[in-house]
Amino acid sequence: MSTLTSIYVSPSISPLVPPPPSLWSCCVNKSSTLLLCTGASSTVLLYSFSPDVSLLADLTSLIPSSENNTIRCGSFDPSSSSSPSPSSSGLCRFAVGSFSGAVHLLTPDARLGTLEGPSSEIKSVAYTPSGTLLAATSRDKSCWIWEASTSDPVAVLQGHGGDVKCCLFLGEVKLATGGYDGRA
């Protein structure tokens, strides 16, 4: 399996500067003004699209040093601010999932907490459209769901026969998952 080593952003078709190390995932916030990239060596990078693409923050140091691991995936909390700096609506928030099985809750300048539960690599993370729930899928064949505001576990789904690769909320109450077992 190969990993991304460069990301090109249209229309300029120029690489991100500074160039990130090997990347596993990228996502944009709801207003498409911020880009979150995750990857090897606990890499978590936050870029701005406004007015030009630029690195806003290298959040790698917010990941515990004991977890010198790949950060596999990320997702912006859609209920949080679209601004990377403090504003009347607060800071933007996002979740990142690691190979260790932890889900870290971050802002551009702090780690708010760590959700634990899955016993293996986190494959994907996703918020409901309102940001009230956060789901994470894992290599341990599970999908955990937490209440985003309290970090309390709501459910653990275990219907897959293999790694659960992805998840996506379809509205506030339906969750789609997909895995290596060919089931969704």
Side-chain angles (χ1 to χ4, degrees):
M1 173 183 286
S2 64
T3 59
L4 296 172
T5 56
S6 296
I7 294 189
Y8 293 88
V9 181
S10 295
S12 65
I13 311 298
S14 60
L16 295 176
V17 177
S22 294
L23 295 178
W24 279 86
S25 77
C26 291
C27 64
V28 295
N29 67 340
K30 66 183 174 187
S31 62
S32 298
T33 56
L34 299 174
L35 173 70
L36 178 67
C37 297
T38 66
S41 303
S42 300
T43 298
V44 180
L45 302 172
L46 184 64
Y47 292 89
S48 171
F49 287 138
S50 180
D52 297 316
V53 178
S54 61
L55 180 66
L56 288 176
D58 181 341
L59 308 171
T60 303
S61 65
L62 298 179
I63 305 301
S65 60
S66 60
E67 191 178 311
N68 187 11
N69 234 319
T70 296
I71 301 298
R72 178 77 164 93
C73 54
S75 180
F76 283 94
D77 177 347
S79 71
S80 69
S81 170
S82 293
S83 172
S85 54
S87 67
S88 60
S89 58
L91 280 172
C92 68
R93 294 183 305 274
F94 37 90
V96 296
S98 77
F99 270 35
S100 71
V103 176
H104 301 288
L105 306 176
L106 306 171
T107 68
D109 60 0
R111 183 166 53 90
L112 302 175
T114 300
L115 304 176
E116 296 186 6
S119 63
S120 188
E121 172 188 344
I122 302 297
K123 299 286 192 167
S124 69
V125 290
Y127 283 93
T128 55
S130 67
T132 57
L133 298 176
L134 172 64
T137 62
S138 174
R139 175 174 268 171
D140 71 4
K141 306 175 188 174
S142 71
C143 178
W144 284 67
I145 303 171
W146 294 271
E147 177 71 41
S149 63
T150 64
S151 300
D152 291 333
V154 173
V156 180
L157 309 175
Q158 297 180 316
H160 283 277
D163 294 16
V164 187
K165 292 287 289 176
C166 55
C167 61
L168 175 68
F169 279 98
L170 308 169
E172 295 298 316
V173 295
K174 291 183 181 179
L175 176 68
T177 61
Y180 280 143
D181 60 2
R183 296 173 52 201

